[in-house]
Amino acid sequence: MMRLLLIGPPGAGKGTQASKLSEVFGIPAISTGDIFRENVKNQTPLGLEAKSFMDSGAYVPDSLTNKLVRDRLKNPDCANGFLLDGYPRTADQVDELDSILKETNGSLEAVIQLTADSDEVVKRLARRAIEQGRSDDTEDVIRNRMAVYEKQTAPLITMYAARGSLIMVDGLGEIDEVTSRIKEALNAKNQS
Ligand code: ADP
């Protein structure tokens, strides 16, 4: 069983590592950001509600996000575990995830914090803006997303560290190098 969270600032490379780890462990990588973007693209009711928040770099309200994750985790493909990328991001989302886990008698194997300094993050996001044309990768919105992350999500790291769940991994370097670091850190944690 492998239930993992991936936490880190915008641009730390969570999405890239999530798909790598999904392959390594044979578990689905669930990105709330991807799910929201897919809904925006298809103009679903959820997408229409989420769009204005996303475009300004704000978080989508917890009520919407929590419901989405609760439903997604019921999917049979989560039977052997899952990797949540970009959830939880608020204290309220942590509470929701705690209660979902409690209802299924499950617990997290680890919370992976992917670190990256802000200069590098801004550089990566600027590159991605050109490559992918994401509507929230403009300079103003990037700055807002980073501020929202510092205020609402960074404190969760302290909390997971206090619970003994946290592993911290440097997100700078080659993609495969970072994946290896994560695998090693998980092994080390399992043995401790
Ligand atoms: P990044 O990590 O680069 O900010 P994501 O793709 O994870 O990118 O998220 C993009 C946007 O989707 C966020 O700025 C936010 O509006 C919304 N979003 C994603 N995950 C959550 C979440 N857990 N809670 C609230 N909003 C979220």
Side-chain angles (χ1 to χ4, degrees):
M1 198 64 177
M2 209 40 146
R3 302 181 202 84
L4 302 172
L5 307 185
L6 205 47
I7 282 194
K14 298 187 297 293
T16 307
Q17 292 304 323
S19 58
K20 292 267 170 193
L21 296 170
S22 158
E23 250 176 70
V24 171
F25 296 113
I27 51 175
I30 301 169
S31 156
T32 42
D34 283 351
I35 297 173
F36 284 133
R37 271 187 294 281
E38 190 62 25
N39 278 276
V40 169
K41 200 175 91 190
N42 296 326
Q43 300 187 320
T44 67
L46 175 65
L48 294 174
E49 273 200 81
K51 185 172 173 17
S52 60
F53 297 101
M54 296 175 76
D55 283 347
S56 70
Y59 285 165
V60 175
D62 287 331
S63 55
L64 292 178
T65 311
N66 284 337
K67 179 171 187 320
L68 173 120
V69 172
R70 180 175 274 278
D71 289 345
R72 179 63 187 82
L73 292 180
K74 283 190 189 136
N75 199 297
D77 69 344
C78 295
N80 295 323
F82 51 79
L83 169 66
L84 280 167
D85 158 14
Y87 182 96
R89 288 195 206 209
T90 65
D92 194 68
Q93 293 178 16
V94 171
D95 289 345
E96 179 76 2
L97 180 61
D98 283 345
S99 69
I100 296 171
L101 289 168
K102 204 168 161 204
E103 285 162 30
T104 56
N105 294 316
S107 59
L108 297 171
E109 272 62 50
V111 176
I112 305 158
Q113 178 196 2
L114 208 53
T115 64
D117 69 46
S118 42
D119 284 350
E120 172 66 18
V121 156
V122 170
K123 247 189 269 166
R124 287 183 184 181
L125 291 174
R127 210 180 309 136
R128 187 173 76 186
I130 298 166
E131 289 165 4
Q132 297 180 9
R134 240 175 79 167
S135 60
D136 61 349
D137 277 345
T138 60
E139 201 182 321
D140 282 359
V141 178
I142 289 172
R143 215 170 282 134
N144 193 34
R145 278 159 58 211
M146 290 172 72
V148 171
Y149 173 83
E150 282 309 322
K151 181 152 187 274
Q152 301 216 48
T153 305
L156 307 186
I157 291 171
T158 319
M159 204 207 58
Y160 280 118
R163 291 187 189 183
S165 319
L166 196 76
I167 61 174
M168 199 170 147
V169 177
D170 184 357
L172 295 188
E174 296 293 322
I175 291 173
D176 289 337
E177 199 182 312
V178 177
T179 310
S180 303
R181 276 182 214 143
I182 296 174
K183 284 196 283 184
E184 276 163 31
L186 283 171
N187 277 336
K189 185 172 192 301
N190 279 339
Q191 278 154 26
S192 68

